[in-house]
Amino acid sequence: MEAIKQLILATAPEAVLEEKAHLTVTVAPDDLRALATALKNDPASRFDFLIQLTGVDEGENFSVIYFMTSTDDMTRQLVVKTYTTDRENPVLPTVSDIWGTALLNEREVFGFLGIRFIGHPDMRHLFLTERWKGYPLRKDYDASREANPVDVTSYPMSDHSETWVKGKDGIQHEKIQLFEEDDYVLNIGPQHPATHGVLHFRTALDGEIIKKIDVNCGYIHRGIEKLSEGLTYPQILHFTDRLDYLSAHINRHALCICVEKAAGIEVTDRTEVIRTIMDELTRITSHLLSWATMCMDMGALTAFIYGMRDREKIMDIFEETTGGRLIQNYNVIGGVMADLHPDFQRKVKAFIPYMREKLKEYHQLYTGNVIAVNRMIGVGVLSKETAISYAVSGPVGRASGLSCDLRKIMPYSAYGKVEFKEIVRHEGDCMARYLNRLDEIEESLHILEQLIDAIPEGEYCVKTKPIIRLPEGEYFQRVEAARGEFGVYIQSRGDKTPWRLKFRSPSMALVSVMDTICRGAKVADLVTIGGSMDYVIPDIDR
Amino acid sequence: MEVKDIKIKGIPHEEFNDNEYLEKYVEELRANGVGIVTGVLDDMINWGRSNSMWPLTFATSCCGIEFMSVGAARFDFARFGFEVTRNSPRQADVIVVAGTIVDKMAPILKRLYDQMAEPKYVIAMGSCAISGGPFCNSYCVVNGVDKIIPVDVFVPGCPPKPEALLYGMMQLQRKVKVERFMFKDKKKQDK
Amino acid sequence: MFDFSIVTTWVDQFLRTYLPEFWVLAIEFVVVGVVMLALYAVIALVLIYFERKICAFFQCRLGPNRVGPYGIFQSIADMLKMLIKEIIPINHTDKLLFYLAPFFVVVASFLTFGAIPFGNGLQAFDFNIGVFYLLAVSSLGVIGILMAGWASNNKYSMIGAMRSGAQLVSYELSAGLSLLTMVVLSGDLQLSTIIEKQSDTWFIFQGHLPAVVAFVIYLIAGHAETNRGPFDLPEAESELTAGYHTEYSGLQFGMFYLAEYLNMFIIASIATTVFLGGWMPFHIGGLDGFNQVMDYIPSVVWFFGKAFALMFLSLWVRWTFPRLRIDQLLHLEWKYLLPINMVNLLIMVGIVLLGWYF
Ligand code: SF4
């Protein structure tokens, strides 16, 4: 860490260093790019993995917070902050050429706070439409429906991206055409069976071959982050389930850990184990569903039904204990909502061999199929460099050779106590991602096996204060959700509601690489790649 | 802060047994007799329509997954004639709005609805589609799809259990069964 | 074996005794047409039901079971609904082609349907170039699909139609060549003669290996021609929403839907006729006792039994395999099926010349 501090001070002498939960550096906007380049390239720091980028309205100024880590050592984390005091016309330099993650994230910040990033190639609104008035995450935003009434008239989409660059005389606005004049542009989405929800790809085609994809999100942008600012922590919990509803339990787990750590609440061992078991069950359901939908996208409908059929077994287990099927609402701050159902252990134990059996069936049914193999091998290759640059994690990142399993790197809950393999493949194609998921189901079963008989006795939930206030500060928690790294960032001002709450969604990273890896592939491959990426749209849009 | 005394009045269980109320109304209305030909034709057409409702594949968020479960092995809505989910709105009969509808999606939902061929029905699935659900205070969530398109059946829940959706779909079938097809327009003119 | 031509000839004679030639023919044409149309619709409905149930069976589901016992009226309900569903007029389409396209598809499949021998003496018209005729008209359907894709003014439809064109042109070759192989064996193009020649053993057994190869290739190519999974690229649900018929609604869509199922039946029945002896019962040369027992089963049952068995096979494939990609599809045809087919044809010619068949 010392070396890093020196490096920071050498490149940006005016930077302010603070030791909080993580090392935090505050720099002036002018120094940002130099510092970022140095941090990324210097062998001592090598912060090449930008986890997320958050814009915050701090009251008098806007700040942007960059969380970064290094693929050499994922536990090495750094927080860089920069700010602008201009509320009328805020501008900041872009880092999108340094980290690919910034491409979409900066667009998000622009939409939320109106900060323009100079040099960013595509400064359009990400989630909201061009006709939206105001910037929702500003504290003085008028959230009433009168300002932005529901409008059902269709409107044309702009074919231009906008960019602001530093010219001779100040900042200039430029328009760039997205597609060439005679491109055959196919609109895939927002309502399309293969986009797994409401994502919109504008795809330029040359015959069957994809030339370019323009990703449009926001068709399910529900404003969760803004809503959270007005709610207490226990109330916010229920939003987490509805972000990435396929790893509902894991997301909720992340927020619970974050709040518990900040408020200094100790949970019992029993809770930890229960949460871990539930996490793994959720992971299995999620991977099953993604296997099923991927097969369906490729045209094998029966496989889809098989995946759903086996998923129902876990749904039963969930329903007995938590009362919910898809969305369990089970974690609460300080523990879990209710104790395990008496049948829980028996059912999980019966489930493990059942699932192993079915995994074999899946391999027989699909993995060995000539058509399937030919459609997956070598298709949509995501190189390790791209994966790192765009901060792709989870099964997809691991299929590209990036070892990024947070359960191994920074064990939380009961993960430190169990033994499991991190599945890493190096091909980076659809096949690797596909196999990774199936293998991870196997590993999850292995974890379940170890824990199911070792649930300690004790309270399932500790008593907490009726109103939870977090001490002033910033808290960040990362967990491994089914699609990759899920993060919660809370900025608290000592209130019972957060000042700013941001979720780092794994799916956003997955979608941001779509353009890169789909170029040159066929339309049918787009569907396969989409299925193998397995993004969940509400998780992107929040 | 003053906590309001919230009372939630659930539907008593017996009411779920009273599913034939629509049929009873119609029987009452028809007490004076209906034309033989038109009546029989009506019945036949409604029988066909109600037993062959092809839903549009339309899911925006969490509820969509439960919608998929309903189509899968355990619940299998094909039993009731909801067999084929069509991907093209032109060929679908019922749109199950599964999930939150936000402002950006609203024009698209409207357009999808407009693209569907008559007769078309709408099921609002989940509290989001009914009222905005957990997000009803949000700055960009439509508080209920009935503000955009006419809804036939509401299925509450977050997400509704597959059984609930099946019940809703069967309710829709009942509703269709008592519709009038023959001389519908003529009646309108008479008014 | 009951010969249905006794009945038809009798009716013909009966009419002729009362009416002049012209009216007899007119009445017969109309009656045959109506019967065929009815059969066409009924077979389609049965097939739809059949597919639903089988698909449900593969997928551990129950399938339709609410309308009538075991849900057998499900497809009738579907048809009723489809008949009275609105047909949406669409702006910016090529109106004429748009409305013509579904008819083209249906007419093409109907024309083929007419020439199929359903039983002993049950054939609407028996050309002396029957096989050639079947091949020629069955490929007309693709024109309808191309028209639909072009006229809809929809990009999905367009891509779907283009795919369909590429697919049909390629697989038509294989289908044609494998039928040609069998024609070499039978030495005749007339369907009735072809069936007659199989009265001892079916062609698939007569022709040794080449016949089996031709049979398999014909099944694959035929399956591809019907645009059904895993060859359903033209309507690839998850890629192109509904492919070439994205813009069609109501009855027009119903026609596409019907034709799709009928095409499946047609392919199965051609395969039955040419390879499996059509309505000819299973005979083993020399075993007269056995052959007579087989003859007690009516010819119609034989025909439909074989056809449905083949269709079951194609459904099985459809519900198990993922969809091919367009380049894989073309590779399969041009790099594997076509060369194999040509060699196969040569071998068959050799076998026939040397007289090595039964
Ligand atoms: S009602 Fe609940 S489960 Fe359904 S879409 Fe809304 S938040 Fe998701």
Side-chain angles (χ1 to χ4, degrees):
Chain A
M1 269 304 171
E2 279 312 309
I4 297 172
K5 278 184 196 162
Q6 264 151 31
L7 173 74
I8 294 170
L9 288 178
T11 29
E14 260 123 79
V16 186
L17 289 170
E18 287 164 287
E19 284 282 1
K20 292 190 191 164
H22 309 292
L23 182 64
T24 308
V25 190
T26 313
V27 289
D30 295 340
D31 291 339
L32 179 71
R33 284 186 57 86
L35 181 68
T37 322
L39 282 175
K40 187 186 171 194
N41 296 332
D42 194 276
S45 54
R46 273 189 47 81
F47 283 113
D48 48 2
F49 196 88
L50 181 67
I51 304 172
Q52 71 164 21
L53 179 162
T54 317
V56 186
D57 182 358
E58 304 254 20
E60 60 280 2
N61 56 12
F62 295 125
S63 59
V64 175
I65 302 165
Y66 304 81
F67 281 91
M68 51 191 85
T69 181
S70 161
T71 45
D72 294 346
D73 173 9
M74 279 266 189
T75 53
R76 190 196 299 157
Q77 296 168 24
L78 181 74
V79 182
V80 175
K81 254 189 190 183
T82 185
Y83 52 86
T84 164
T85 46
D86 186 357
R87 283 193 73 97
E88 282 304 300
N89 202 0
V91 288
L92 280 177
T94 180
V95 290
S96 57
D97 48 341
I98 303 170
W99 292 290
T101 329
L103 275 171
L104 282 192
N105 276 291
E106 285 182 352
R107 276 177 71 184
E108 180 194 320
V109 174
F110 168 62
F112 280 167
L113 288 169
I115 303 175
R116 295 208 170 83
F117 290 88
I118 306 299
H120 188 289
D122 186 3
M123 269 281 92
R124 278 174 300 160
H125 281 273
L126 184 60
F127 294 146
L128 297 168
T129 53
E130 283 116 49
R131 26 178 209 182
W132 198 264
K133 293 191 206 76
Y135 297 103
L137 278 187
R138 288 191 181 179
K139 291 286 171 189
D140 52 8
Y141 172 69
D142 171 19
S144 65
R145 294 311 323 238
E146 286 76 50
N148 287 294
V150 181
D151 188 355
V152 290
T153 51
S154 302
Y155 56 95
M157 287 185 81
S158 158
D159 278 338
H160 294 90
S161 70
E162 312 192 353
T163 174
W164 277 267
V165 285
K166 225 176 209 133
K168 269 185 246 100
D169 30 67
I171 294 160
Q172 283 167 352
H173 179 205
E174 279 174 17
K175 279 201 165 190
I176 308 171
Q177 206 161 2
L178 280 173
F179 302 106
E180 283 159 35
E181 258 335 302
D182 48 357
D183 271 352
Y184 192 73
V185 181
L186 186 67
N187 281 297
I188 298 185
Q191 191 267 328
H192 189 277
T195 52
H196 296 208
V198 278
L199 194 61
H200 182 188
F201 293 126
R202 282 200 281 176
T203 323
L205 293 182
D206 178 10
E208 285 260 343
I209 301 187
I210 296 170
K211 277 163 79 183
K212 180 177 178 168
I213 293 183
D214 175 41
V215 182
N216 265 300
C217 326
Y219 292 95
I220 182 74
H221 171 60
R222 310 189 268 204
I224 288 182
E225 287 171 12
K226 180 76 177 176
L227 278 176
S228 305
E229 289 175 11
L231 296 176
T232 63
Y233 294 103
Q235 285 176 320
I236 296 169
L237 278 179
H238 74 270
F239 286 144
T240 50
D241 281 23
R242 284 151 182 89
L243 280 172
D244 172 358
Y245 38 79
L246 291 180
S247 33
H249 192 87
I250 311 181
N251 295 353
R252 205 169 163 115
H253 192 174
L255 184 58
C256 283
I257 300 184
C258 191
V259 174
E260 279 156 11
K261 269 193 192 159
I265 299 168
E266 285 273 325
V267 295
T268 59
D269 283 351
R270 185 178 174 80
T271 312
E272 297 281 32
V273 173
I274 293 179
R275 280 180 178 176
T276 315
I277 292 177
M278 286 296 192
D279 275 3
E280 288 314 307
L281 283 174
T282 313
R283 197 180 313 277
I284 295 175
T285 58
S286 168
H287 285 345
L288 272 182
L289 192 86
S290 94
W291 177 81
T293 45
M294 179 173 179
C295 295
M296 181 174 67
D297 286 349
M298 289 167 68
L301 283 166
T302 304
F304 167 72
I305 305 269
Y306 280 18
M308 295 298 270
R309 176 193 68 190
D310 299 333
R311 196 171 153 268
E312 291 290 340
K313 296 262 176 213
I314 307 185
M315 296 283 117
D316 281 348
I317 299 177
F318 279 157
E319 198 174 350
E320 268 183 355
T321 294
T322 70
R325 280 164 48 90
L326 175 71
I327 287 175
Q328 299 101 16
N329 297 324
Y330 190 45
N331 279 322
V332 289
I333 293 166
V336 291
M337 194 79 97
D339 208 351
L340 293 175
H341 190 271
D343 270 353
F344 182 80
Q345 271 166 310
R346 187 176 60 79
K347 287 217 166 157
V348 174
K349 267 190 231 161
F351 173 74
I352 295 171
Y354 171 83
M355 192 65 231
R356 291 232 162 93
E357 196 64 27
K358 291 296 167 196
L359 274 180
K360 272 196 215 113
E361 188 181 310
Y362 294 173
H363 283 299
Q364 270 171 7
L365 177 67
Y366 207 71
T367 318
N369 189 314
V370 200
I371 303 177
V373 170
N374 280 329
R375 281 194 66 179
M376 291 193 288
I377 284 187
V379 170
V381 178
L382 174 67
S383 67
K384 192 175 175 186
E385 291 71 41
T386 325
I388 292 173
S389 164
Y390 285 89
V392 176
S393 53
V396 179
R398 290 195 281 281
S400 301
L402 176 66
S403 156
C404 55
D405 196 334
L406 292 173
R407 294 175 294 171
K408 267 257 183 278
I409 297 164
M410 312 152 78
Y412 52 94
S413 283
Y415 285 114
K417 287 186 241 158
V418 292
E419 178 204 330
F420 64 100
K421 274 207 304 283
E422 179 178 3
I423 313 282
V424 179
R425 282 192 166 72
H426 295 275
E427 296 87 358
D429 55 359
C430 290
M431 191 70 185
R433 296 193 273 270
Y434 166 87
L435 288 176
N436 254 15
R437 291 222 170 77
L438 288 184
D439 287 354
E440 275 186 23
I441 295 183
E442 182 69 50
E443 286 310 309
S444 296
L445 289 176
H446 188 50
I447 297 179
L448 284 179
E449 242 171 3
Q450 296 169 45
L451 288 178
I452 194 66
D453 277 326
I455 305 177
E457 291 299 318
E459 290 279 307
Y460 59 86
C461 185
V462 295
K463 276 242 154 10
T464 51
K465 281 190 236 124
I467 290 178
I468 296 167
R469 288 173 203 276
L470 295 197
E472 194 168 338
E474 291 167 49
Y475 308 96
F476 188 53
Q477 176 65 38
R478 305 155 67 190
V479 298
E480 180 75 21
R483 275 160 199 75
E485 180 178 333
F486 181 80
V488 181
Y489 166 79
I490 299 178
Q491 195 178 82
S492 167
R493 301 231 159 149
D495 246 333
K496 58 179 191 289
T497 60
W499 178 260
R500 170 86 167 96
L501 183 119
K502 150 109 185 167
F503 297 110
R504 190 263 179 200
S505 80
S507 303
M508 178 112 111
L510 299 178
V511 162
S512 61
V513 291
M514 281 302 272
D515 182 26
T516 325
I517 64 175
C518 282
R519 287 196 187 191
K522 308 227 165 29
V523 182
D525 290 337
L526 171 70
V527 179
T528 317
I529 296 172
S532 73
M533 286 300 203
D534 185 32
Y535 32 72
V536 167
I537 320 296
D539 186 29
I540 305 167
D541 290 357
R542 282 161 287 154
Chain B
M1 198 174 82
E2 191 191 341
V3 179
K4 263 183 265 158
D5 195 17
I6 302 169
K7 272 216 190 82
I8 300 173
K9 220 175 109 223
I11 306 175
H13 182 255
E14 298 78 60
E15 265 184 29
F16 282 99
N17 296 330
D18 178 26
N19 291 322
E20 272 79 42
Y21 66 101
L22 277 172
E23 277 101 324
K24 281 188 197 133
Y25 286 154
V26 172
E27 249 166 51
E28 244 171 66
L29 284 174
R30 288 185 179 171
N32 295 332
V34 276
I36 292 184
V37 179
T38 55
V40 170
L41 266 179
D42 255 356
D43 280 352
M44 210 168 79
I45 287 167
N46 288 336
W47 172 81
R49 276 186 182 168
S50 64
N51 283 312
S52 160
M53 292 258 186
W54 294 356
L56 176 72
T57 342
F58 177 80
T60 61
S61 52
C62 352
C63 280
I65 305 289
E66 287 299 64
F67 176 60
M68 275 153 67
S69 311
V70 180
R74 181 178 299 177
F75 300 101
D76 185 22
F77 57 27
R79 289 178 293 151
F80 302 93
F82 295 100
E83 174 81 31
V84 204
T85 52
R86 299 305 312 179
N87 293 317
S88 165
R90 305 237 184 256
Q91 296 148 12
D93 305 299
V94 51
I95 176 169
V96 181
V97 185
T100 328
I101 298 300
V102 304
D103 280 18
K104 197 168 174 181
M105 194 65 195
I108 292 149
L109 177 65
K110 174 94 172 89
R111 194 147 157 198
L112 278 175
Y113 180 75
D114 289 345
Q115 280 175 341
M116 284 166 65
E118 291 283 354
K120 48 191 170 186
Y121 307 96
V122 180
I123 295 181
M125 178 187 182
S127 39
C128 280
I130 295 173
S131 68
F135 313 102
C136 69
N137 290 330
S138 167
Y139 53 88
C140 63
V141 168
V142 178
N143 292 351
V145 287
D146 49 348
K147 301 227 164 63
I148 309 172
I149 54 179
V151 178
D152 291 281
V153 175
F154 294 94
V155 184
C158 181
K161 286 190 61 169
E163 290 91 337
L165 181 61
L166 278 181
Y167 178 74
M169 289 176 134
M170 281 152 75
Q171 259 340 46
L172 179 64
Q173 286 186 324
R174 293 204 174 93
K175 217 173 152 175
V176 175
K177 279 213 181 102
V178 299
E179 255 181 11
R180 202 156 173 194
F181 177 72
M182 306 298 289
F183 306 117
K184 190 165 65 178
D185 294 342
K186 203 173 152 228
K187 272 272 144 57
K188 266 185 205 157
Q189 281 165 12
D190 289 350
K191 266 187 212 164
Chain C
M1 189 106 264
F2 180 71
D3 191 344
F4 283 95
S5 56
I6 300 171
V7 182
T8 43
T9 337
W10 182 81
V11 172
D12 185 49
Q13 303 273 292
F14 176 77
L15 284 175
R16 267 169 211 275
T17 46
Y18 292 99
L19 293 165
E21 167 103 16
F22 171 77
W23 285 108
V24 172
L25 281 183
I27 291 178
E28 281 176 359
F29 284 158
V30 171
V31 168
V32 169
V34 170
V35 168
M36 276 308 205
L37 262 181
L39 197 63
Y40 186 86
V42 168
I43 288 185
L45 291 183
V46 172
L47 271 183
I48 293 175
Y49 173 71
F50 186 65
E51 158 153 53
R52 300 236 173 121
K53 273 298 189 190
I54 288 182
C55 147
F57 164 69
F58 281 127
Q59 302 184 338
C60 324
R61 297 188 286 126
L62 286 174
N65 67 356
R66 291 297 149 116
V67 211
Y70 302 102
I72 44 173
F73 298 127
Q74 182 61 55
S75 37
I76 298 179
D78 284 346
M79 183 196 70
L80 261 180
K81 176 207 73 179
M82 207 95 93
L83 282 177
I84 44 170
K85 207 157 162 63
E86 181 193 9
I87 295 177
I88 302 179
I90 296 168
N91 290 341
H92 311 299
T93 51
D94 191 331
K95 287 267 165 5
L96 178 69
L97 294 186
F98 187 79
Y99 288 115
L100 219 52
F103 291 105
F104 236 92
V105 175
V106 169
V107 165
S109 74
F110 189 65
L111 280 178
T112 336
F113 186 75
I116 291 170
F118 296 102
N120 196 355
L122 269 189
Q123 189 177 8
F125 43 91
D126 188 15
F127 273 133
N128 55 352
I129 47 158
V131 176
F132 178 68
Y133 170 80
L134 284 183
L135 274 179
V137 284
S138 69
S139 49
L140 277 182
V142 70
I143 299 182
I145 292 179
L146 279 174
M147 268 158 65
W150 165 258
S152 300
N153 194 10
N154 175 317
K155 287 178 183 173
Y156 287 129
S157 305
M158 188 71 195
I159 295 181
M162 286 299 150
R163 282 179 175 184
S164 173
Q167 185 172 333
L168 255 266
V169 167
S170 325
Y171 279 84
E172 195 66 34
L173 280 174
S174 273
L177 274 179
S178 51
L179 286 186
L180 197 61
T181 319
M182 297 323 284
V183 169
V184 169
L185 182 61
S186 74
D188 207 325
L189 285 167
Q190 192 163 4
L191 289 174
S192 52
T193 328
I194 290 183
I195 295 174
E196 215 49 62
K197 288 205 169 158
Q198 303 184 58
S199 60
D200 278 345
T201 12
W202 300 346
F203 273 166
I204 188 163
F205 302 122
Q206 277 188 35
H208 302 297
L209 194 63
V212 178
V213 173
F215 179 61
V216 172
I217 292 183
Y218 183 74
L219 280 192
I220 296 176
H223 198 90
E225 273 185 56
T226 54
N227 289 340
R228 289 170 63 77
F231 302 100
D232 57 348
L233 283 94
E235 45 191 305
E237 296 239 311
S238 53
E239 296 157 32
L240 304 177
T241 59
Y244 60 86
H245 55 61
T246 306
E247 294 288 352
Y248 284 91
S249 61
L251 193 54
Q252 293 175 329
F253 163 65
M255 286 186 180
F256 283 118
Y257 198 66
L258 218 66
E260 182 187 320
Y261 282 93
L262 246 293
N263 281 335
M264 186 169 83
F265 175 75
I266 287 168
I267 295 295
S269 30
I270 295 180
T272 309
T273 310
V274 178
F275 295 92
L276 301 181
W279 47 261
M280 198 51 92
F282 182 66
H283 285 168
I284 302 174
L287 284 181
D288 283 340
F290 176 77
N291 292 353
Q292 260 170 13
V293 175
M294 286 292 159
D295 280 348
Y296 280 116
I297 304 172
S299 55
V300 182
V301 174
W302 273 107
F303 177 80
F304 282 101
K306 290 178 204 171
F308 273 86
L310 287 184
M311 277 185 290
F312 178 77
L313 211 66
S314 91
L315 288 178
W316 192 350
V317 170
R318 159 156 199 192
W319 292 108
T320 330
F321 278 38
R323 187 178 305 120
L324 286 147
R325 201 173 47 203
I326 184 81
D327 57 330
Q328 287 176 338
L329 182 93
L330 297 180
H331 276 201
L332 176 68
E333 165 64 20
W334 294 99
K335 288 204 178 151
Y336 301 104
L337 294 188
L338 195 60
I340 294 178
N341 225 334
M342 290 191 165
V343 175
N344 196 36
L345 180 59
L346 278 184
I347 298 177
M348 184 55 105
V349 171
I351 287 183
V352 171
L353 280 182
L354 297 173
W356 278 354
Y357 56 93
F358 302 115

